[in-house]
């Protein structure tokens, strides 16, 4: 279990995490053992889920009131509620992707999930790597980056400095290497709970060979062979980019089992967690109500619902935040996909949050309101949203929040 080079976590906390890992093999639900503190702060759990690759937020939280959305996405738009394959109605302006009917919609109905559209960072590079680093470091734009200091590690330092947290805090990265967000002065263990996997292509090599043999000796033999060759070249190119953007993160395939294992860990002493999920760089063949993106949403949604279920009573004291490095272009591209964008949608889940709503500053989505005539604008800075959550969840004062997110103004959306 590699850890950051800088070490300050007392050895009893490492033993507690290792004991919790050993308990994963045992059946049943682990019981939380954190002692009650003023306002129950030390009995809370926080999990950050990072969707690497820049997921298409306009397919997740569908702007059903925007005619321009349907004009600019003739092939990949999610239909309005009431239509075949239509969005699940949330508000007068927004709907939810239909693939999440069995997972996130019930959480929304129980007011255990909220969405914050027009969220993100000031980073305008539209580079997966630069923007992922910006998000994880949580440092002000325009300043020299300190790659030894991620914002979740700074949060752990602030919580660890509080007397009531001293014997209770143990962060954990559910990854095969320690991510930037948890690097820093607080010693954080990491463990990979599942191996990353890739989805199989729609037609594998054996099937392609059979199809090619059917046309052998006919005028179509050349075009068929050329078509498969082009498909393979495009697939290699796009898969290479998607793999790079995912940075060896988990696949959504099998995420449900991973999520249950994370929950069992977070019922024990590991109460501040991070996991990343890859495969969201959908330049080609994105799909709409069905297809590649819909499958990923369905798998991710089932995983998050399983996490909530496995947490048991502790779900009422748990907050999960889902972020991505950026959104994608509002218009579809020529390959029925979307390209790198800017603003995105954050998700906030938990048994005790004030959910069942779409929160934060919003605006109508028209041809004149897009950022740089192509993307969602950022109206809700992700550092502000998280700062507001941390203030409510942990009772952090302004000086402490300023150390977690320097130069950021906490945005209290009343979610916690």
């Amino acid at each position: 279990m590699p850890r950051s080079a800088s070490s300050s976590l007392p050895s009893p906390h490492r033993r507690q995490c290792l004991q919790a890992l050993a308990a994963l093999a045992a059946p049943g639900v682990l019981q939380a053992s954190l002692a009650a503190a003023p306002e129950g702060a030390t009995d809370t759990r926080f999990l950050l889920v990072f969707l690497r690759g820049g997921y298409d937020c306009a397919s997740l939280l569908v702007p059903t009131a925007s005619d321009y959305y349907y004009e600019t996405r003739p092939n990949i738009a999610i239909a309005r509620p009431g239509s075949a394959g239509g969005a699940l109605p949330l508000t007068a302006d927004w709907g939810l992707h239909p693939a999440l009917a069995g997972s996130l919609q019930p959480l929304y109905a129980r007011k255990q999930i909220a969405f914050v559209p027009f969220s993100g960072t000031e980073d305008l590079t539209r580079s997966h790597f630069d923007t992922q680093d910006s998000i994880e470091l949580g440092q002000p734009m325009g300043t020299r980056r300190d790659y030894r200091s991620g914002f979740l590690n700074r949060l752990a330092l602030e919580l660890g400095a509080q007397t009531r947290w001293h014997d209770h805090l143990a962060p954990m990265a559910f990854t095969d290497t320690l991510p930037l967000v948890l690097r820093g002065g607080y010693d954080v263990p990491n463990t990979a709970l599942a191996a990353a996997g890739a989805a199989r292509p729609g037609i594998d090599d054996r099937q392609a060979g059979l199809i090619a043999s059917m046309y052998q000796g006919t005028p179509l033999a050349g075009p068929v062979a050329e078509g498969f060759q082009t498909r393979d070249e495009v697939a290699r190119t796009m898969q290479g980019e998607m793999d790079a953007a995912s940075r060896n993160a988990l696949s959504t395939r099998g995420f449900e089992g991973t999520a249950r294992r994370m929950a069992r860990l977070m019922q024990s002493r590991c109460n501040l967690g991070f996991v990343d999920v890859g495969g969201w760089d959908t330049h080609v063949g994105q799909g709409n109500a069905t297809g590649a993106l819909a499958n990923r949403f369905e798998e991710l949604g089932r995983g998050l619902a399983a996490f909530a279920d496995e947490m048991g009573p502790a779900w009422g004291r748990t907050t999960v935040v889902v972020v991505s490095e950026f959104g994608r272009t509002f218009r579809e591209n020529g390959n029925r996909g979307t390209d790198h964008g800017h603003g995105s949608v954050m998700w906030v889940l938990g048994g005790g949050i004030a959910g069942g709503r779409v929160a934060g500053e919003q605006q109508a989505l028209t041809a004149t309101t897009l950022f740089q005539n192509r993307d969602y604008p950022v109206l809700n800075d992700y550092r502000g949203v998280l700062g507001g959550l941390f203030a409510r969840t942990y009772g952090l004062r302004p000086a402490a929040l300023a150390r977690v997110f320097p130069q950021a103004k906490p945005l209290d959306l009343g979610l916690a």
Side-chain angles (χ1 to χ4, degrees):
M1 246 191 292
R3 290 182 287 273
S4 58
S6 180
S7 174
S8 64
L9 181 65
S11 58
H13 288 137
R14 288 196 287 270
R15 288 198 299 271
Q16 290 159 6
C17 277
L18 291 172
Q19 290 165 0
L21 286 171
L24 281 175
V29 176
L30 297 174
Q31 296 300 311
S33 59
L34 298 179
E39 302 177 1
T42 58
D43 203 24
T44 62
R45 283 93 170 150
F46 178 82
L47 175 68
L48 182 67
V49 180
F50 201 124
L51 306 185
R52 297 196 188 274
Y55 87 99
D56 180 39
C57 63
S59 289
L60 181 283
L61 186 67
V62 185
T64 54
S66 171
D67 291 336
Y68 193 61
Y69 169 78
Y70 292 99
E71 292 173 14
T72 59
R73 293 191 171 205
N75 299 293
I76 67 171
I78 309 301
R80 287 187 167 99
S83 306
L88 309 170
L90 299 182
T91 72
D93 298 319
W94 303 100
L96 186 66
H97 195 288
L100 298 163
S103 56
L104 298 193
Q105 187 185 39
L107 291 176
Y108 188 88
R110 295 197 295 269
K111 301 187 186 304
Q112 293 181 0
I113 184 170
F115 299 98
V116 185
F118 305 102
S119 63
T121 174
E122 297 175 359
D123 191 307
L124 295 177
T125 63
R126 294 189 176 87
S127 158
H128 292 297
F129 315 110
D130 284 346
T131 316
Q132 286 176 23
D133 290 353
S134 291
I135 296 278
E136 291 188 64
L137 294 173
Q139 299 165 12
M141 296 296 298
T143 61
R144 186 185 180 113
R145 286 179 175 175
D146 181 358
Y147 285 89
R148 301 166 299 175
S149 179
F151 79 79
L152 276 187
N153 195 287
R154 296 196 297 274
L155 174 64
L157 285 169
E158 292 301 322
L159 297 178
Q162 298 184 36
T163 303
R164 68 179 186 267
W165 276 94
H166 180 73
D167 294 325
H168 306 297
L169 180 65
M172 171 69 76
F174 303 109
T175 54
D176 61 355
T177 60
L178 192 67
L180 280 181
V181 72
L182 277 167
R183 293 182 187 175
Y186 204 99
D187 196 15
V188 179
N190 64 280
T191 181
L193 300 183
R200 295 175 61 188
I203 299 176
D204 60 26
D205 292 341
R206 184 187 65 82
Q207 293 168 325
L210 290 173
I211 293 172
S213 68
M214 291 169 55
Y215 291 95
Q216 190 172 4
T218 73
L220 290 177
V224 168
E226 183 178 347
F228 280 125
Q229 182 179 357
T230 301
R231 182 207 65 165
D232 291 343
E233 290 173 356
V234 171
R236 282 193 297 271
T237 301
M238 299 313 300
Q239 187 63 47
E241 180 175 347
M242 183 172 288
D243 289 346
S246 296
R247 287 186 167 179
N248 204 34
L250 296 173
S251 166
T252 53
R253 178 165 293 184
F255 182 66
E256 181 176 357
T258 300
R260 288 192 179 276
R261 290 189 286 276
M262 287 193 301
R264 292 197 290 272
L265 270 175
M266 294 195 72
Q267 285 180 341
S268 70
R269 294 276 179 169
C270 300
N271 51 6
L272 182 64
F274 173 88
V275 68
D276 49 7
V277 183
W280 303 97
D281 196 23
T282 51
H283 288 280
V284 176
Q286 180 173 299
N288 40 41
T290 59
L293 184 60
N295 292 339
R296 293 188 181 96
F297 280 148
E298 195 272 335
E299 291 165 345
L300 180 69
R302 278 195 291 110
L304 292 173
F307 180 88
D309 176 67
E310 195 71 31
M311 288 298 293
W315 178 239
R317 301 181 299 279
T318 299
T319 302
V320 178
V321 173
V322 180
V323 299
S324 194
E325 65 261 37
F326 45 62
R328 304 193 75 80
T329 48
F330 196 68
R331 304 175 184 86
E332 68 177 74
N333 62 25
N335 294 314
R336 299 193 176 189
T338 49
D339 298 319
H340 299 176
H342 187 45
S344 186
V345 175
M346 296 174 68
W347 320 0
V348 182
L349 304 82
I353 73 159
R357 59 195 177 101
V358 179
E361 185 179 349
Q362 302 167 41
Q363 66 180 32
L365 287 162
T366 68
T368 60
T369 60
L370 296 182
F371 177 73
Q372 296 184 348
N373 193 37
R374 51 172 283 163
D375 303 322
Y376 271 67
V378 172
L379 307 178
N380 304 291
D381 180 80
Y382 84 102
R383 299 195 311 153
V385 175
L386 287 171
L389 276 172
F390 294 160
R392 280 181 170 260
T393 302
Y394 301 116
L396 293 184
R397 297 186 179 277
L401 289 172
R403 288 188 289 270
V404 176
F405 291 120
Q407 301 179 27
K409 182 180 179 180
L411 181 60
D412 189 357
L413 299 181
L415 293 173

